[in-house]
Amino acid sequence: MSCRLAWGAAAAYLIAASAFLPSRIAAQEGLARPKVQVEFRVEAVRYVQHFSDHKTDLEQQAAKRFAKSLADQFGFLDFTSDVRPTKLKVILANVAMSQTCMVDDSNCPKETILRLALEQPDLPTTNYDDWIYLKRDDFFVSLGGVDAEVENLARVGFLKLNAPDVIAKLFSHIQLTPTGHLLWKPVGGAAGAKEQIAGVAVPLPAMVLCADQHSVLVLRSEIPQEFVASAKTELAIDAQGPFVPPENSADDGWKKERGNLFGVPASNPPTDRKWDAWDSLAAVGDKKQIKITGIFMHQYRRMDTGCSPAILPSAALGNSGGGL
Amino acid sequence: MTNSPVIEEPSGGLTETVKSTSAASPSRKSWTSAAFLAVLVIAVNSWTTRHLGWGLESAFGITSLAVGLGLVVTIGEKLLPEEEIKALRVSVAQIPVALVIGLWIAFACLATLRSSVVVLGDSNEKTFSPEGVRLTKIDTGEAILATQREGKDASLRFAVSTSPLGRAYRLKIPGYIEQVVQVYPLIGLTVVPETDLRVSPSLLFRPPTNALQELNPQSNGKFQILEIQKNAANSLVVSCHKSSYLLGREQGIPAAWAGLWDLELKVSQVSDVPTVEASTKLAWYRYTVLVPAHDLAPGDFIEARVISGGNAVIARAQVKLGSEPLKDVALLAVPSPQVLNRSEVPSCPAD
């Protein structure tokens, strides 16, 4: 009798839990890394000629393989070969060397590159042409079967990939999250004193973004102005790792950010681009008027401890104070 | 009465003279017949030697025969009784001149209407296979069978009909272009293929560098030669080696071509990569010989193509054969590869 009761209770729990499942999944979606569809295309003339009939096989296999390799290299993005709005086209192409050596001339040696084209809804396509797969001298390399060439493309290609450059020039255009939480603290610690920035909490667990110290993020924000439109700023953030709120934190919002990626204003930001000064943010009287429009990755360092491939319900909801 | 001396006709005087005159005439006749007969024997011997391949082949031979016969007669005169010798002389003298003339006429008819074609082989080098030599009548296309194969060089003899003004035949020898020959009576025709005939045209097909790479074993490319006839293409031969291809009779590559190949490689900028340039040149020099099922002839329309491992035509050349013995044909890379149906893709032959 007691056994039957136990089974009945378990079934009722499962039914109840399943009723909540969609909302849980929705919650996880918001906390997940941006998903990027990887599409592989073959345009390099010798590959088109060699694979002709098997080109689709090559493209499909290479897309899967590159999605995996890209995920290994760039843990802050979720690469997949499934259809997604954000699409990364990896195009095996040739670069014309001169008027007498055009891209469709298969008998003239030229560079073979892996061109990256990032397509996002409502945004112009961003291209990256600096990933050289084969130098000019290797143009006439012998080509084998589909499996062998997919292996070559991934193995040789990723050895030649300048990952920091790709992040700075291409993946920095992918929004990690549309919001962020600016954490302010009073100067000197006294309540009511002028506030200064303590850091920024990215509403994504550091484990999920897999970003360690020395990663640099871009905080894009709009600061209201008195007589003109809001000033747009791009500020550099040094990632610090998972956020651990202080025990005596007065702000409940800080506790909700536990485990999320925390960053502080970059003291020595990368010099490959221009940055706005943090002072402009600090100067705003009503901090609530500061509107964060997106956070992006600019320089990435993968966590040495490894990354979580997906956010666990317990990590997403339990640690951040939420629950069923 | 005086007795005048009587002059007596010497006995047998006039009568003897008349007799001797009437006896010399048949003797002269018999020698004339014998002379005509002897010349006929010599002529027939020469004709049979020339056209049938048998007879006393030299003047020495026939002289020896005559001397031998003379010796037999001399010995016979000494050994045989007088009566039998006289009887023998009478029988020779009795061969009528008309018969000799008749034999001459018969021989003249035969010699005017029958002749021969002799195809000389090469004792040092087998330039053709005797089995493949074909002689056909132009009007009916009827093949003439070789009557004789002789000598270590396997020369062939064809006995043919002709006319006083000669008759035309088609002669085809493997490795050489088919040719129309005139066969005249008496002299016939002797053909030395190396000097009298034109060799069948050969083609050196050179795939471009990218196509040569496709012919690497791991790339699984194929080289195919097709013969185009009335818009239909028939596959002649397929090979899968990384090399150029010589279709037809093997022969040396003219030294001047190397300079042109260098220019080609420079224009295509392949020479900017020295290792690839060297590899391409070697592959062109070390050609693979492909023997077609039948000899190529001027006017034949030939297509060569390289098919990639992915079943697309990536390089191609089409050529109409001329009379030059060896033609250099560079295949050109196809900008938009044409994908073939699986059924159109040949397999590599087993080596």
Side-chain angles (χ1 to χ4, degrees):
Chain A
M1 185 69 178
S2 60
C3 186
R4 280 186 183 174
L5 278 172
W7 275 110
Y13 173 80
L14 284 173
I15 291 166
S18 65
F20 282 99
L21 205 55
S23 62
R24 287 195 62 157
I25 291 170
Q28 288 174 37
E29 284 284 327
L31 294 172
R33 293 167 295 173
K35 286 190 183 294
V36 180
Q37 178 194 349
V38 177
E39 187 180 295
F40 197 93
R41 275 177 40 198
V42 176
E43 289 180 3
V45 62
R46 286 210 57 231
Y47 286 78
V48 170
Q49 291 188 339
H50 175 73
F51 286 103
S52 312
D53 215 11
H54 313 306
K55 191 160 92 73
T56 310
D57 289 348
L58 176 75
E59 289 175 342
Q60 287 173 350
Q61 284 196 36
K64 286 179 186 167
R65 182 65 195 272
F66 269 62
K68 184 178 177 301
S69 298
L70 286 165
D72 290 344
Q73 289 253 351
F74 308 105
F76 60 97
L77 295 171
D78 186 1
F79 291 97
T80 174
S81 53
D82 300 336
V83 177
R84 297 287 165 186
T86 301
K87 191 185 283 184
L88 177 70
K89 283 186 180 169
V90 184
I91 305 161
L92 185 68
N94 291 125
V95 182
M97 308 298 285
S98 65
Q99 287 288 329
T100 55
C101 187
M102 303 302 284
V103 286
D104 60 349
D105 183 352
S106 58
N107 202 35
C108 166
K110 54 186 86 67
E111 277 182 353
T112 306
I113 64 166
L114 287 159
R115 174 176 292 136
L116 299 176
L118 181 65
E119 295 176 3
Q120 299 185 86
D122 306 324
L123 287 173
T125 301
T126 312
N127 289 315
Y128 181 81
D129 288 352
D130 297 339
W131 188 0
I132 296 170
Y133 174 56
L134 293 175
K135 287 183 180 172
R136 191 175 180 228
D137 287 6
D138 298 325
F139 177 75
F140 290 109
V141 69
S142 291
L143 302 175
V146 170
D147 292 345
E149 285 313 317
V150 169
E151 181 64 27
N152 279 338
L153 285 164
R155 194 168 45 79
V156 179
F158 278 90
L159 276 176
K160 296 179 177 178
L161 175 64
N162 184 348
D165 198 44
V166 172
I167 297 170
K169 291 179 179 168
L170 193 76
F171 294 152
S172 62
H173 292 85
I174 299 174
Q175 193 182 67
L176 297 179
T177 166
T179 61
H181 188 184
L182 291 170
L183 304 177
W184 299 95
K185 62 180 181 182
V187 177
K194 192 179 176 185
E195 287 181 314
Q196 67 176 19
I197 188 84
V200 181
V202 179
L204 284 171
M207 283 294 287
V208 171
L209 278 176
C210 200
D212 210 341
Q213 287 181 11
H214 303 295
S215 295
V216 176
L217 296 106
V218 181
L219 175 75
R220 203 172 282 173
S221 64
E222 290 180 6
I223 303 169
Q225 304 291 308
E226 195 172 357
F227 302 111
V228 290
S230 300
K232 293 179 180 176
T233 59
E234 289 190 338
L235 306 162
I237 302 171
D238 279 341
Q240 300 293 303
F243 181 61
V244 182
E247 289 298 322
N248 55 355
S249 170
D251 190 344
D252 284 346
W254 286 38
K255 289 178 182 170
K256 288 180 183 172
E257 301 294 347
R258 177 184 292 274
N260 285 349
L261 181 64
F262 177 72
V264 296
S267 54
N268 190 17
T271 54
D272 57 347
R273 57 165 291 172
K274 287 179 74 175
W275 301 95
D276 294 309
W278 279 92
D279 296 345
S280 56
L281 235 65
V284 177
D286 184 1
K287 303 292 190 276
K288 287 178 184 171
Q289 287 189 350
I290 299 171
K291 187 181 173 189
I292 293 176
T293 54
I295 294 177
F296 306 81
M297 188 67 74
H298 181 76
Q299 185 175 295
Y300 176 68
R301 180 164 174 182
R302 189 184 167 85
M303 273 187 170
D304 296 337
T305 52
C307 312
S308 167
I311 187 166
L312 297 170
S314 58
L317 302 171
N319 287 354
S320 60
L324 281 173
Chain B
M1 209 171 135
T2 33
N3 291 330
S4 59
V6 177
I7 299 168
E8 286 186 2
E9 191 178 305
S11 74
L14 183 62
T15 314
E16 278 291 316
T17 308
V18 171
K19 273 185 185 172
S20 69
T21 308
S22 62
S25 180
S27 173
R28 200 178 301 121
K29 266 186 188 173
S30 74
W31 282 114
T32 306
S33 298
F36 273 114
L37 206 55
V39 174
L40 178 65
V41 169
I42 292 170
V44 169
N45 176 70
S46 301
W47 191 88
T48 56
T49 304
R50 174 73 184 85
H51 296 292
L52 303 178
W54 51 265
L56 296 167
E57 293 203 16
S58 64
F60 177 75
I62 201 150
T63 309
S64 304
L65 181 68
V67 169
L69 281 172
L71 195 63
V72 167
V73 169
T74 310
I75 293 169
E77 278 179 348
K78 287 187 177 175
L79 296 180
L80 291 174
E82 190 67 22
E83 291 76 22
E84 287 187 22
I85 290 170
K86 278 183 180 173
L88 194 63
R89 279 182 186 161
V90 167
S91 355
V92 172
Q94 280 175 347
I95 295 174
V97 174
L99 177 64
V100 175
I101 290 170
L103 286 173
W104 264 106
I105 290 170
F107 170 68
C109 288
L110 179 70
T112 308
L113 298 175
R114 297 296 296 176
S115 189
S116 68
V117 175
V118 176
V119 179
L120 295 183
D122 186 342
S123 56
N124 300 322
E125 188 186 353
K126 278 236 166 213
T127 52
F128 68 88
S129 151
E131 286 76 21
V133 178
R134 238 172 344 107
L135 184 72
T136 52
K137 288 182 179 173
I138 279 193
D139 46 358
T140 61
E142 182 192 339
I144 312 291
L145 294 176
T147 52
Q148 217 170 7
R149 185 179 301 172
E150 57 195 31
K152 65 173 184 177
D153 56 352
S155 296
L156 290 176
R157 184 183 302 277
F158 298 86
V160 296
S161 60
T162 183
S163 73
L165 298 176
R167 180 165 290 176
Y169 286 87
R170 283 187 197 283
L171 177 64
K172 176 72 184 91
I173 295 178
Y176 297 89
I177 298 171
E178 184 180 80
Q179 197 159 320
V180 173
V181 292
Q182 284 287 344
V183 184
Y184 293 100
L186 295 177
I187 56 172
L189 179 70
T190 301
V191 177
V192 181
E194 292 85 359
T195 54
D196 297 337
L197 300 179
R198 286 182 301 163
V199 293
S200 288
S202 298
L203 296 165
L204 180 71
F205 289 110
R206 286 183 298 109
T209 307
N210 68 314
L212 280 173
Q213 292 302 97
E214 277 297 307
L215 292 168
N216 268 322
Q218 70 266 32
S219 296
N220 202 24
K222 292 123 192 152
F223 178 83
Q224 185 181 29
I225 294 179
L226 303 126
E227 185 178 23
I228 298 171
Q229 290 175 321
K230 297 174 185 171
N231 297 327
N234 303 316
S235 181
L236 283 183
V237 64
V238 177
S239 187
C240 302
H241 294 114
K242 184 187 174 183
S243 71
S244 60
Y245 290 89
L246 195 148
L247 179 69
R249 185 190 172 104
E250 185 169 7
Q251 48 197 293
I253 293 174
W257 287 6
L260 294 172
W261 296 352
D262 282 341
L263 291 177
E264 256 182 51
L265 292 172
K266 271 185 187 157
V267 167
S268 65
Q269 300 179 24
V270 171
S271 52
D272 292 358
V273 188
T275 51
V276 176
E277 181 193 23
S279 154
T280 303
K281 276 190 194 172
L282 281 178
W284 286 349
Y285 277 117
R286 295 172 184 168
Y287 55 77
T288 303
V289 178
L290 301 175
V291 181
H294 59 84
D295 284 338
L296 303 178
D300 286 355
F301 200 44
I302 302 288
E303 175 177 324
R305 61 191 189 183
V306 175
I307 300 166
S308 72
N311 303 332
V313 177
I314 60 166
R316 160 183 280 151
Q318 289 188 337
V319 60
K320 190 170 187 179
L321 267 70
S323 56
E324 56 267 60
L326 178 62
K327 190 169 187 174
D328 180 26
V329 184
L331 274 73
L332 297 177
V334 177
S336 306
Q338 172 205 349
V339 181
L340 300 175
N341 293 326
R342 296 280 168 97
S343 58
E344 293 177 287
V345 179
S347 338
C348 288
D351 286 329

